[in-house]
Amino acid sequence: MNPIALLLLAFAMSTDAFAAAIGKGASLKKPQFSEALRMGLIFGSIEAITPLIGWLMGKSAAVYVQAWAHWIAFFLLVALGLHMIYEGVKPSSEVAEKPAKHSFLKVSLTALGTSIDAMAVGVGLAFIKVNIWIAAGLIGLATTLMVTLGVMIGGAVSSLLGNRAEVFGGFTLIGVGVWILSGHF
């Protein structure tokens, strides 16, 4: 695989994480760059690890991962999206402040949901001549950049959405899950 193809692959793998990051950023109250970078690094790290896992799995069980990857991603993202929607619409007796940052667990689960396709790509890379370490590093770097940018864009969108930014983020995650699933039919 040539360097241009690897770079295109890296950015293609980061598009669903970018969409999810816009939703996450929208649910924050004016995210700071440091928070956007933190989320970018979490997403990027997970997105770099999953093709390595897929590559290892591809050496033994490619059919199983490729057959179920889109379903796993779909269910993770829909569950997280529904939780965000619930949090955004549930009645509250007090005016709640938007979170200054998302928990590591929520960010990691979202990142895992958007990186399942990278695991499937890793499986495919096991069957062609490619340096998996370079491929995984480029995927992680592209995702870090795209998520950091997405969170900052989402933060700008947040002021337009007011109290329903969390609902927007939830629908965004569900949309990403449906997009991943529909790509396999």
Side-chain angles (χ1 to χ4, degrees):
M1 183 174 265
N2 68 47
I4 294 173
L6 273 177
L7 194 58
L8 290 173
L9 173 69
F11 279 101
M13 292 290 92
S14 70
T15 56
D16 50 353
F18 175 73
I22 291 173
K24 288 286 193 187
S27 68
L28 296 173
K29 181 181 181 179
K30 296 185 181 181
Q32 299 294 314
F33 179 74
S34 60
E35 175 60 10
L37 182 59
R38 173 186 165 267
M39 289 177 70
L41 289 170
I42 292 169
F43 269 80
S45 297
I46 291 173
E47 195 87 19
I49 291 169
T50 54
L52 293 171
I53 294 168
W55 184 80
L56 290 170
M57 293 172 75
K59 296 294 184 180
S60 61
V63 175
Y64 301 110
V65 174
Q66 287 177 330
W68 293 98
H70 54 284
W71 287 106
I72 294 167
F74 172 74
F75 285 118
L76 270 173
L77 292 171
V78 167
L80 289 165
L82 289 172
H83 177 71
M84 286 179 72
I85 291 168
Y86 170 75
E87 291 293 322
V89 299
K90 78 177 182 181
S92 176
S93 59
E94 60 185 62
V95 177
E97 192 70 21
K98 287 184 182 178
K101 67 186 213 178
H102 288 287
S103 74
F104 177 79
L105 180 62
K106 282 186 179 180
V107 174
S108 296
L109 287 174
T110 305
L112 182 61
T114 62
S115 69
I116 296 296
D117 60 339
M119 187 181 302
V121 165
V123 170
L125 293 177
F127 301 108
I128 63 172
K129 185 177 179 181
V130 65
N131 183 325
I132 190 61
W133 298 104
I134 292 174
L138 286 174
I139 290 169
L141 181 61
T143 301
T144 299
L145 294 171
M146 295 296 283
V147 168
T148 302
L149 179 63
V151 170
M152 296 307 292
I153 290 171
V157 171
S158 177
S159 62
L160 301 172
L161 297 175
N163 298 347
R164 299 298 176 224
E166 190 85 10
V167 174
F168 172 76
F171 279 115
T172 301
L173 289 182
I174 291 170
V176 170
V178 169
W179 177 54
I180 289 170
L181 186 62
S182 68
H184 293 278
F185 290 114

Coordinates of all heavy atoms in Angstrom, one line a residue, residues 37-47 103-104 107-108 111 144:
L37 N -8.4 18.7 22.8 CA -7.2 17.9 22.5 C -7.2 16.6 23.4 O -6.8 15.5 22.9 CB -5.9 18.7 22.9 CG -4.6 18.0 22.6 CD1 -4.5 17.6 21.1 CD2 -3.4 18.9 23.0
R38 N -7.7 16.7 24.6 CA -7.8 15.5 25.4 C -8.7 14.4 24.8 O -8.4 13.3 24.7 CB -8.4 15.9 26.8 CG -8.7 14.7 27.7 CD -9.4 15.2 29.0 NE -10.1 14.1 29.7 CZ -11.3 13.7 29.5 NH1 -12.1 14.4 28.7 NH2 -11.8 12.7 30.2
M39 N -9.9 14.9 24.3 CA -10.8 14.0 23.6 C -10.1 13.5 22.3 O -10.3 12.3 22.0 CB -12.1 14.7 23.3 CG -12.9 14.9 24.6 SD -14.5 15.8 24.3 CE -15.4 14.6 23.5
G40 N -9.4 14.3 21.6 CA -8.8 13.9 20.4 C -7.7 12.8 20.7 O -7.6 11.8 19.9
L41 N -7.0 13.0 21.7 CA -6.0 12.0 22.1 C -6.6 10.7 22.5 O -6.1 9.6 22.2 CB -5.1 12.5 23.2 CG -4.1 13.6 22.7 CD1 -3.4 14.3 23.9 CD2 -3.1 13.1 21.7
I42 N -7.7 10.7 23.2 CA -8.4 9.5 23.6 C -8.9 8.8 22.4 O -8.7 7.6 22.2 CB -9.6 9.8 24.6 CG1 -9.0 10.3 25.9 CG2 -10.4 8.5 24.8 CD1 -10.0 10.8 26.9
F43 N -9.6 9.5 21.5 CA -10.1 8.9 20.3 C -9.0 8.4 19.4 O -9.0 7.3 18.9 CB -10.9 9.9 19.5 CG -12.4 10.0 19.8 CD1 -12.9 10.7 20.9 CD2 -13.3 9.4 18.9 CE1 -14.2 10.7 21.1 CE2 -14.7 9.5 19.1 CZ -15.1 10.1 20.3
G44 N -8.0 9.2 19.2 CA -6.8 8.8 18.4 C -6.1 7.6 18.9 O -5.7 6.7 18.1
S45 N -5.9 7.5 20.2 CA -5.3 6.3 20.8 C -6.1 5.0 20.5 O -5.5 4.0 20.1 CB -5.1 6.5 22.3 OG -4.2 7.6 22.5
I46 N -7.4 5.1 20.8 CA -8.2 4.0 20.6 C -8.3 3.6 19.1 O -8.2 2.4 18.7 CB -9.6 4.2 21.2 CG1 -9.5 4.2 22.7 CG2 -10.6 3.1 20.8 CD1 -10.7 4.6 23.5
E47 N -8.4 4.6 18.3 CA -8.5 4.4 16.8 C -7.2 3.8 16.3 O -7.2 3.1 15.3 CB -8.8 5.7 16.1 CG -9.3 5.6 14.7 CD -10.8 5.3 14.5 OE1 -11.5 5.6 15.4 OE2 -11.2 4.8 13.4
S103 N -16.6 12.5 30.8 CA -15.8 11.5 31.6 C -15.0 10.7 30.6 O -15.3 10.5 29.4 CB -16.8 10.6 32.4 OG -17.4 9.7 31.5
F104 N -13.9 10.2 31.1 CA -13.0 9.4 30.3 C -13.7 8.2 29.8 O -13.6 7.8 28.7 CB -11.8 9.0 31.2 CG -10.8 8.0 30.5 CD1 -9.9 8.6 29.6 CD2 -10.9 6.7 30.7 CE1 -9.1 7.7 28.9 CE2 -10.0 5.8 30.0 CZ -9.1 6.3 29.1
V107 N -16.1 9.1 26.9 CA -15.3 9.4 25.7 C -14.7 8.1 25.1 O -14.8 7.9 23.9 CB -14.2 10.5 26.0 CG1 -13.3 10.7 24.8 CG2 -14.9 11.8 26.4
S108 N -14.2 7.3 26.0 CA -13.6 6.0 25.5 C -14.6 5.1 24.8 O -14.3 4.5 23.8 CB -13.0 5.3 26.7 OG -11.9 6.1 27.2
A111 N -15.4 6.5 21.5 CA -14.3 6.3 20.6 C -14.3 4.8 20.2 O -14.0 4.5 19.0 CB -13.0 6.6 21.3
T144 N -6.9 12.0 15.9 CA -6.7 13.0 16.9 C -6.9 14.4 16.4 O -7.6 15.2 17.0 CB -5.2 12.8 17.4 OG1 -5.0 11.6 18.0 CG2 -4.9 13.9 18.5

